[in-house]
Every structure is written in C-alpha cells, then in structure tokens.
Amino acid sequence: MAVPKRKMSRSNTRSRRANWKATVVQTVECPQCKSPHLPHTACGVCGTYNGRQVIEV
C-alpha cells in the first residue's frame, strides 16, 4: 500500500482540492417542443429522437 513519506503542505492540499468542482449538466433544445433535454437521448416531453417518435407520451 502506498504511504506518503512526507506530510503534504496546506497550499498543495488546497490547490489539489480546488479542482474538485461539480460541472453543470449540458442540455440541448428539442427541435419539436423546444424543451431542454440531455444530448443523445429521447425528449421526455414529446418523446422524439432524431426527428421521429420513439416513446409514446
């Protein structure tokens, strides 16, 4: 098991932790109903994907 030889300084610890950010979920607009949904997925509101009806809503 890897164990550090020396204590990591506060500045190094804080700069490492500073990169742990939550990212915003990217959404795209549905061409039929104009509601936001995840890319490469069927729209939950109207049920279309790539210009055709794939889910009965």
Side-chain angles (χ1 to χ4, degrees), residues 3-56:
V3 178
K5 278 190 184 277
R6 303 246 180 232
K7 180 179 178 178
M8 187 174 277
S9 68
R10 270 191 201 150
S11 63
N12 282 348
T13 302
R14 288 174 182 167
S15 67
R16 186 187 71 242
R17 288 181 183 160
N19 291 316
W20 282 59
K21 297 185 240 359
T23 57
V24 178
V25 176
Q26 298 296 317
T27 58
V28 294
E29 189 179 78
C30 177
Q32 272 76 27
C33 65
K34 308 296 186 216
S35 65
H37 67 92
L38 293 174
H40 304 287
T41 57
C43 179
V45 178
C46 63
T48 59
Y49 179 74
N50 202 16
R52 56 197 163 105
Q53 191 75 25
V54 292
I55 301 172
E56 283 297 321

